[in-house]
Amino acid sequence: MAKINDNYLKLPGSYLFSTVAKKIAAYQEANPGREVIKMSIGDVTKPLAPAVIEAMHKAVDEMGTAEGFRGYGPEQGYGFLRSLIVEHDYKARGIDIEADEIFVSDGAKSDCGNIGDIFSTDNKVAVCDPVYPVYVDTNAMAGRAGEFIDEHWSNLYYMPCTEENGFTPELPKERVDMIYLCFPNTPTGVAATREQLKAWVEYAKENGSVILYDSAYEAFITDPEVPHSIYEIEGAKEVAIEFRSFSKTAGFTGTRCAYTVVPKALVVEGTALNALWNRRQCTKFNGVPYVIQKAAAAVYSQEGQKQTKETIAYYLENARIIKSSLAEAGLEVFGGDNAPYIWAKAPSGMKSWEFFDKLLEEAGVATTPGAGFGPSGEGYVRLTAFNTKENTQKAMEKIKAVLVSRD
Ligand code: MLT
């Protein structure tokens, strides 16, 4: 008889953002006509930049001609996009990454999950707590997480990120093999300093660990001292894989394009992970559509850079509005300066889901409950800055009205 991968049966409920979406939908069904402003999943609202649309149109037209038509593309991504990534995202910052170390994909979420394919299921995995649920759930699916008991996976090493440690994880007290780090962070919106990243690279070197560095939100960094890439740290190419995405940088959440950097210097048990990942991608992936890669390439044009930076500034202004409004409403708030997320502490010791319900039912504002990101997220909610400015302002007024009338 066929057997299933019973690791899936160990997973609790549904994926966090699906659970939240279901709750919002149920509320809307029960309260028809009541407006809900969504500040839950980090999905963008601004349209694609004109330069991106223009490039996409051109590429579509090319596909309709005998000379311009393309079938299967290179699994690793077209050379034109890989070299633009190298020039703009790495060489411009003094980082020496080569085009064949870049793997273009359909999303950082997929890559963060798929990367597990090239690692043994015996590896000990460290995750921040709270954490982007994809790292945890995909390791649970692979059988690396153990059993889910009392909101914890028995084989994961949790690194609490709390108010006391400034929401930055401390180095593990025991040896771990794979370390997921995300900076600027989802969910807390906090960025890592150069010193903190240096300590991680040193730890990984000393312990033979691999850092899986998710820098999907690097475009939101405003502080010139904050590193955009783990490879700004000396020696990181020997210990780290980096995930990047056009989703939040250029509004590609529905368009789908991202990339992963696997440096050739990263060797585990005598095997270059670049070669393994290439083998995996060639076998399981057929590349991102030409039209989409042309659209992504346009992000690096002069116009594309200007237009996408304007959009990021727009979302950062929303983040500022959220942060200051919630503080005015008496909440303790974190993040939001170098990231599109604000981490807010629920008032009067309320639990995350309680506060989520209150904001949804009384203010008509949907957030993401911090507890959904891990046990240390309990007592917090996360808000995204990706809605429109108008909705952000409206949501803040509604929240203020609810929190003030509470007293
Ligand atoms: C988030 O809300 O954390 C992100 O939008 C989810 C994602 O990028 O998958």
Side-chain angles (χ1 to χ4, degrees):
M1 207 206 301
K3 294 197 175 67
I4 57 162
N5 174 355
D6 60 5
N7 291 314
Y8 277 70
L9 304 182
K10 300 176 185 171
L11 292 165
S14 58
Y15 178 59
L16 172 63
F17 294 110
S18 322
T19 311
V20 170
K22 273 189 217 138
K23 273 216 148 211
I24 299 169
Y27 174 79
Q28 283 180 309
E29 207 181 302
N31 299 275
R34 180 99 206 269
E35 185 189 22
V36 174
I37 301 177
K38 290 187 188 150
M39 308 190 92
S40 39
I41 191 162
D43 197 2
V44 295
T45 49
K46 293 287 265 181
L48 291 170
V52 167
I53 291 296
E54 196 186 318
M56 244 171 159
H57 278 300
K58 267 197 198 144
V60 168
D61 288 342
E62 268 184 80
M63 289 291 277
T65 65
E67 318 73 57
F69 172 75
R70 282 164 171 85
Y72 293 127
E75 295 89 347
Q76 307 80 359
Y78 283 100
F80 64 79
L81 180 55
R82 293 169 100 194
S83 35
L84 282 169
I85 291 168
V86 165
E87 285 311 313
H88 289 259
D89 293 345
Y90 294 102
K91 288 231 155 70
R93 291 192 181 278
I95 303 165
D96 182 24
I97 289 288
E98 290 172 25
D100 59 0
E101 296 176 304
I102 308 282
F103 294 84
V104 176
S105 76
D106 69 337
K109 174 180 174 176
S110 336
D111 283 356
C112 286
N114 293 334
I115 200 75
D117 278 13
I118 64 169
F119 289 98
S120 162
T121 48
D122 294 337
N123 281 333
K124 182 84 182 172
V125 176
V127 290
C128 292
D129 168 26
V131 66
Y132 179 45
V134 171
Y135 317 147
V136 170
D137 288 6
T138 55
N139 276 291
M141 288 168 179
R144 241 179 249 114
E147 305 299 323
F148 192 63
I149 305 161
D150 293 338
E151 305 299 313
H152 286 77
W153 286 96
S154 56
N155 286 353
L156 292 186
Y157 184 92
Y158 287 89
M159 304 181 289
C161 298
T162 60
E163 199 175 337
E164 289 69 42
N165 62 19
F167 301 100
T168 51
E170 278 148 36
L171 297 176
K173 304 221 174 356
E174 60 181 73
R175 245 209 90 246
V176 295
D177 305 302
M178 295 160 64
I179 304 155
Y180 287 83
L181 295 177
C182 172
F183 291 112
N185 187 259
T186 180
T188 65
V190 166
T193 64
R194 196 168 299 277
E195 287 314 307
Q196 285 161 348
L197 292 185
K198 261 190 200 162
W200 279 108
V201 169
E202 252 164 59
Y203 173 93
K205 282 196 159 177
E206 278 163 21
N207 291 281
S209 328
V210 174
I211 297 172
L212 301 158
Y213 193 75
D214 183 350
S215 64
Y217 300 100
E218 63 78 30
F220 293 83
I221 294 173
T222 53
D223 181 343
E225 295 305 314
V226 168
H228 287 243
S229 164
I230 185 91
Y231 305 123
E232 288 182 45
I233 310 301
E234 208 188 312
K237 284 206 284 183
E238 286 145 51
V239 292
I241 290 175
E242 179 160 287
F243 305 95
R244 290 271 185 111
S245 170
F246 294 93
S247 282
K248 315 294 159 67
T249 306
F252 273 50
T253 52
T255 307
R256 310 307 308 151
C257 196
Y259 65 87
T260 288
V261 185
V262 189
K264 284 175 277 190
L266 177 49
V267 176
V268 175
E269 291 188 311
T271 300
L273 294 194
N274 181 285
L276 279 195
W277 184 242
N278 187 46
R279 183 72 174 84
R280 190 263 173 215
Q281 290 299 79
C282 291
T283 308
K284 293 198 182 182
F285 185 58
N286 257 336
V288 174
Y290 174 71
V291 172
I292 303 299
Q293 293 194 55
K294 275 288 180 187
V299 171
Y300 295 106
S301 67
Q302 223 177 357
E303 278 304 292
Q305 285 288 290
K306 185 172 160 284
Q307 293 160 0
T308 49
K309 283 194 172 123
E310 276 166 13
T311 301
I312 284 169
Y314 174 95
Y315 292 136
L316 281 169
E317 170 62 7
N318 285 349
R320 193 197 57 74
I321 293 169
I322 298 170
K323 208 170 172 181
S324 60
S325 307
L326 295 183
E328 270 171 46
L331 296 184
E332 278 186 74
V333 278
F334 308 91
D337 301 324
N338 294 292
Y341 296 121
I342 287 87
W343 191 236
K345 196 166 181 175
S348 325
M350 274 175 108
K351 299 242 183 224
S352 297
W353 281 103
E354 262 182 276
F355 194 41
F356 165 88
D357 285 336
K358 183 178 177 69
L359 292 178
L360 180 61
E361 285 159 23
E362 296 178 27
V365 177
T367 58
T368 307
F373 294 103
S376 298
E378 183 57 276
Y380 291 86
V381 295
R382 190 196 75 173
L383 293 95
T384 89
F386 286 123
N387 214 313
T388 61
K389 184 169 181 182
E390 296 69 32
N391 275 345
T392 301
Q393 282 168 329
K394 206 200 278 184
M396 291 306 110
E397 289 314 312
K398 288 182 172 203
I399 291 181
K400 276 201 257 178
V402 166
L403 294 184
V404 171
S405 70
R406 183 176 56 89
D407 298 327

